[in-house]
Amino acid sequence: MVTWLGSDGDGLGRPPDLRWVAPAAASWAAALVALAVPPWAAWSIAGGAVVVAASVALWRGPSARLGEAPIAVAVATLVCAATVAAVAGLHVHRTATSAAVAAAERGGEVEFGAVATVDPRSRAGMPRPGRAEWVVPARTTWVRVDGRVRASRASVVVLASGEDWSDLLPGQSFTARGAFLAAEEEPLTAALVAVHGPPEEVAEPGRWQAFAGAVRADLREAASGLPQPERGLFPALIVGDTSELREEVAEDFRATGMTHLLTVSGANLAVLTGFVLAVARWARAPTWCSVLGGAVMIWLFVLVCRPEPSVVRAAFMGSLGLLALATGRAHAGLGALCVTVVGVLFVAPGLATSYGFALSALATAGILLLVPGWTHAWSARLPVPLAEALAVAVAAHVAVAPVLVPLSGEVSWVAIPANVLAAPVVAVVTVTGSALAVLASVWSGAAALLVHVPGLGVSWIAVVAQVGARVPYGALPWRADVAGALLLAGLVAVFLLTRGRTRSVLAAVVVAVLVLGSAARCVPGGWPLSGWRLVACDVGQGDAFVLSTGRGEAVVFDTGDDPDLVDGCLERLGVREIPLLVLSHDHADHVDGTPGVLRHRRVGAALAPVGFADTPVGRLLAEEGVQPAVAERGQSFTVGTWTLRVLWPRAGYQGTVNDTSVVIRADDTHMSVLLTGDIEEPAQGELLRGPDAPLLAVTVLTTPHHGAGTQDPGFLAATGARVSVTSVGEGNPYGHPAPFTQNILERVARVNARTDRDGDVAVLDAPVRVISRGPAPDR
């Protein structure tokens, strides 16, 4: 049967084989339990399951014989669960008794040797001094503990900085020195290792890993001629290389339920193996040729794209399909999937906790069970290819929705049309892109020219994700916990198991609830109230202030350190245009959220301290076509109804990073605001004694440095503010706001708002008043 699934669609039209469902489910449950308990408990569970299996196998009832299907299935289920539990217990025991764990318990820095297991990946967020740039999953070979070298075979995660780390390939061994830290809630990860300095004694990569690394590098080079986001998206779609992928693009794919495309899902491998088998059939090649071609494709794909959980699942399942083809036996898709789950967990029980493996397996199960019936029913009203594409997208999304809820806290309806629009193009891009990867390895010039052909398809996929992510209320909030997942799973099960009028009534009720819920979110009178002029976004321990300059427009002063938090705040305010972005100083809690501000918004201009253009955030702005202007005392800007005056820093001022913060007075018709960044006593003192001292008197004061104790009482008193707003994180380790500062503010201002207690805080004019949204429920 020819489908969008390639080789994963083999057996799609046959009745599902349910015999292996129970062994697969039991194996998965056994792995989850075994990973959560001590090894002796896992082995006890395994032993108990073996005893019960033996009892069932030997039991003779009035109508029971060992060969009967129910008993055989029960025995197989118990044996599979026992095997997985025993293997998982062994893995946990080996990790817990490793030298890496001993080093973590001992504390301090030690020398160690290790082998990289996957490609290093850059850490999310803006690079900062002292913050590790690279995450390198590895397996230790030895660790020096108490002056003695101990053999160690345990998984660790190395956190390091420096370009030398980015060049490591899977299989390369190295030595380093670092501090071993306990890995919380990761039973198969022995430690996190914070390393200073480059890797040493780096071995040459293996021949095949060097080949795979060269293929990935050549593909990146070929894609370098494409504009962004296509430049970073193309290698991600073809080989799972996300090194050039922008964070905002990844967020678009997450919002539209298309993240599976960025992780090289099993569908990519299925399309390629299906293409190879189709060519073999067209050429009337013998069966052994088809099997050999498919096997080579699977091996190459896993080698180049790395053994990600979804790729492992697809490779195992595809191998079973090739085995069925070689032996001439019918290949039942669901049975092969269940055998795949059992086989993979036998070898790697840790994948039971992998969201990637769960999403891949569940999506495939949903497709195999639901697509045939839905395609047949829908093809009466739609063309068969469209009916099948729609059935595949809906089935996959329905199957994985309960697992996605704990990750995202929402249920997306945009995901279905987005995946339907992207699916046909993805298949074409996968085949042509893979061919281009081969060409890039032998003829880079031709590849650089021809990359624009699949690049058109990549552009379409990027547009689908971008437009889908901007659809208002494209996702509905949902409980992000086990209860929420179970509730959604129950609703899905009821919908799938009901028929006729009952299903129609249930669907109508669900649609009505969703429509009413969406409508309620759009009703005026929510957050914020009409007439807001200033909003302090609750971004945790950081600053992000928004001045309204018109419908959908605002000046943003600082962005916090979390792109998602500031993006969410601006989304709630309906801000799409930012005529001016002011970044007070280069500290993470004030500027590292800038990628969230740039997400689907146009920034007209930026203002920052001298030297800011050379910082990571400054370079990010330049890439977006925004060159930060240097802020100096005396500058004045008019944006909407606001007049902005730069009061600080003065030209040539030499002080701490905090004291070089940009300070702005903003005047509107009915109110004035003093935006202060992180200035402390020295800068405050100069402002108090300087020529702009009369301009310190304002209606609203944004408390300097999150209310730290480094305040000049005279400065705070000189503002005479009626309202103070302190942006601060709940339970922060710095003790902000300091009691000393709070006491002064209570004497100066009539209203003192704090984002840790009040959440987003809005100041309205005519008359000036303060409202709050309330703290986020998860913080």
Side-chain angles (χ1 to χ4, degrees):
M1 180 177 182
V2 179
T3 76
W4 298 117
L5 299 174
S7 62
D8 267 5
D10 289 347
L12 191 61
R14 303 188 185 99
D17 182 357
L18 303 178
R19 292 173 297 175
W20 279 92
V21 171
S27 298
W28 207 318
L32 292 173
V33 172
L35 293 173
V37 299
W40 63 265
W43 294 329
S44 299
I45 293 171
V50 169
V51 171
V52 175
S55 301
V56 172
L58 297 174
W59 177 63
R60 294 289 190 275
S63 60
R65 297 192 308 274
L66 179 60
E68 290 185 346
I71 295 179
V73 170
V75 171
T77 299
L78 291 166
V79 170
C80 289
T83 303
V84 172
V87 173
L90 180 63
H91 282 238
V92 173
H93 174 73
R94 186 174 63 187
T95 300
T97 57
S98 67
V101 170
E105 294 173 346
R106 175 184 176 275
E109 292 190 350
V110 298
E111 291 180 292
F112 68 98
V115 176
T117 53
V118 299
D119 292 282
R121 65 178 187 272
S122 60
R123 291 187 69 185
M126 307 304 298
R128 289 283 162 189
R131 182 179 184 271
E133 299 177 59
W134 299 98
V135 178
V136 188
R139 183 184 68 251
T140 57
T141 54
W142 58 267
V143 179
R144 189 182 298 276
V145 181
D146 296 326
R148 182 167 62 92
V149 174
R150 291 177 52 183
S152 173
R153 183 182 173 84
S155 296
V156 297
V157 177
V158 177
L159 305 175
S161 296
E163 285 302 314
D164 290 339
W165 290 98
S166 67
D167 296 331
L168 286 178
L169 292 174
Q172 277 190 283
S173 63
F174 62 90
T175 63
R177 182 178 182 85
F180 280 63
L181 310 170
E184 301 292 338
E185 301 179 358
E186 291 288 342
L188 298 185
T189 300
L192 305 177
V193 188
V195 173
H196 298 287
E200 299 177 353
E201 300 178 25
V202 179
E204 290 295 322
R207 179 171 55 184
W208 291 116
Q209 290 295 348
F211 163 76
V215 170
R216 293 165 70 93
D218 290 339
L219 186 61
R220 286 196 304 271
E221 180 63 27
S224 63
L226 296 174
Q228 285 286 15
E230 290 85 349
R231 184 190 315 156
L233 188 54
F234 184 59
L237 292 171
I238 304 305
V239 296
D241 184 351
T242 59
S243 58
E244 301 288 332
L245 189 69
R246 292 184 173 180
E247 289 184 25
E248 61 267 26
V249 177
E251 177 59 25
D252 288 347
F253 276 69
R254 185 206 64 78
T256 51
M258 296 166 62
T259 304
H260 60 93
L261 300 178
L262 304 180
T263 56
V264 185
S265 65
N268 296 64
L269 177 56
V271 168
L272 291 175
T273 52
F275 177 75
V276 169
L277 295 179
V279 170
R281 291 191 191 103
W282 174 78
R284 297 183 179 180
T287 301
W288 68 266
C289 248
S290 301
V291 173
L292 180 61
V296 170
M297 177 58 69
I298 290 174
W299 177 74
L300 284 173
F301 193 84
V302 175
L303 176 68
V304 175
C305 298
R306 313 309 194 199
E308 297 291 339
S310 60
V311 174
V312 171
R313 191 279 307 164
F316 201 111
M317 191 171 173
S319 299
L320 290 178
L322 294 178
L323 180 62
L325 179 64
T327 57
R329 301 184 61 181
H331 173 41
L334 185 63
L337 174 63
C338 293
V339 172
T340 295
V341 170
V342 173
V344 169
L345 294 179
F346 274 6
V347 179
L351 287 180
T353 62
S354 165
Y355 275 106
F357 185 71
L359 293 173
S360 177
L362 289 174
T364 305
I367 290 168
L368 292 171
L369 287 171
L370 302 175
V371 165
W374 287 357
T375 300
H376 177 73
W378 297 346
S379 60
R381 298 183 178 181
L382 298 171
V384 173
L386 179 58
E388 185 180 89
L390 181 60
V392 168
V394 176
H397 190 63
V398 164
V400 303
V403 178
L404 289 176
V405 160
L407 291 174
S408 62
E410 60 187 24
V411 177
S412 172
W413 63 265
V414 171
I416 294 173
N419 278 279
V420 169
L421 290 171
V425 180
V426 168
V428 174
V429 168
T430 298
V431 175
T432 57
S434 299
L436 190 85
V438 175
L439 180 63
S441 300
V442 296
W443 190 3
S444 59
L449 181 64
L450 294 175
V451 72
H452 295 279
V453 176
L456 294 174
V458 177
S459 298
W460 169 253
I461 297 169
V463 168
V464 169
Q466 186 179 50
V467 173
R470 299 185 69 170
V471 172
Y473 310 112
L476 299 172
W478 200 272
R479 288 190 58 165
D481 55 12
V482 175
L486 293 176
L487 174 61
L488 184 57
L491 290 175
V492 169
V494 169
F495 181 77
L496 294 176
L497 295 175
T498 54
R499 292 290 184 272
R501 185 176 181 83
T502 304
R503 173 183 286 183
S504 299
V505 171
L506 177 62
V509 171
V510 171
V511 170
V513 170
L514 296 180
V515 169
L516 290 174
S518 298
R521 298 175 66 191
C522 302
V523 171
W527 177 262
L529 292 177
S530 177
W532 70 273
R533 305 306 297 153
L534 169 71
V535 166
C537 296
D538 180 11
V539 293
Q541 183 63 18
D543 274 8
F545 296 97
V546 186
L547 297 170
S548 176
T549 58
R551 185 176 180 83
E553 295 186 357
V555 171
V556 175
F557 185 94
D558 284 343
T559 63
D561 66 352
D562 189 322
D564 291 335
L565 292 181
V566 70
D567 177 44
C569 179
L570 294 175
E571 192 71 28
R572 291 188 294 272
L573 297 173
V575 174
R576 290 295 179 187
E577 295 283 336
I578 300 173
L580 179 62
L581 171 64
V582 183
L583 299 170
S584 64
H585 62 297
D586 186 35
H587 275 173
D589 58 333
H590 288 255
V591 301
D592 279 9
T594 300
V597 173
L598 296 172
R599 197 173 290 161
H600 305 310
R601 297 179 186 89
R602 189 184 69 83
V603 175
L607 192 65
V610 63
F612 192 87
D614 297 326
T615 67
V617 176
R619 289 190 289 270
L620 172 65
L621 288 171
E623 290 176 5
E624 296 292 332
V626 182
Q627 192 66 41
V630 176
E632 291 185 357
R633 186 172 67 186
Q635 292 172 326
S636 180
F637 308 90
T638 299
V639 186
T641 59
W642 291 95
T643 298
L644 309 178
R645 297 181 178 88
V646 179
L647 305 186
W648 190 260
R650 60 173 170 79
Y653 178 78
Q654 298 292 323
T656 65
V657 175
N658 282 347
D659 276 330
T660 57
S661 294
V662 176
V663 177
I664 283 183
R665 176 191 170 104
D667 289 278
D668 197 9
T669 307
H670 301 289
M671 62 184 292
S672 54
V673 181
L674 190 63
L675 299 154
T676 58
D678 273 355
I679 59 169
E680 299 176 317
E681 292 162 299
Q684 292 177 17
E686 285 211 30
L687 277 167
L688 189 59
R689 297 185 297 271
D692 292 329
L695 297 178
L696 298 180
V698 290
T699 313
V700 182
L701 168 68
T702 65
T703 310
H705 200 179
H706 321 291
T710 53
Q711 311 288 337
D712 185 325
F715 174 84
L716 298 181
T719 65
R722 294 163 57 187
V723 176
S724 76
V725 182
T726 304
S727 185
V728 63
E730 181 181 7
N732 68 84
Y734 311 106
H736 297 166
F740 163 75
T741 303
Q742 282 293 99
N743 290 336
I744 299 173
L745 292 175
E746 288 173 2
R747 293 196 301 269
V748 172
R750 282 183 279 179
V751 178
N752 293 283
R754 291 168 41 177
T755 56
D756 59 337
R757 298 180 313 195
D758 306 317
D760 292 348
V761 174
V763 182
L764 291 74
D765 64 0
V768 174
R769 59 197 189 281
V770 177
I771 61 171
S772 64
R773 182 171 176 267
D778 59 339
R779 297 222 308 277

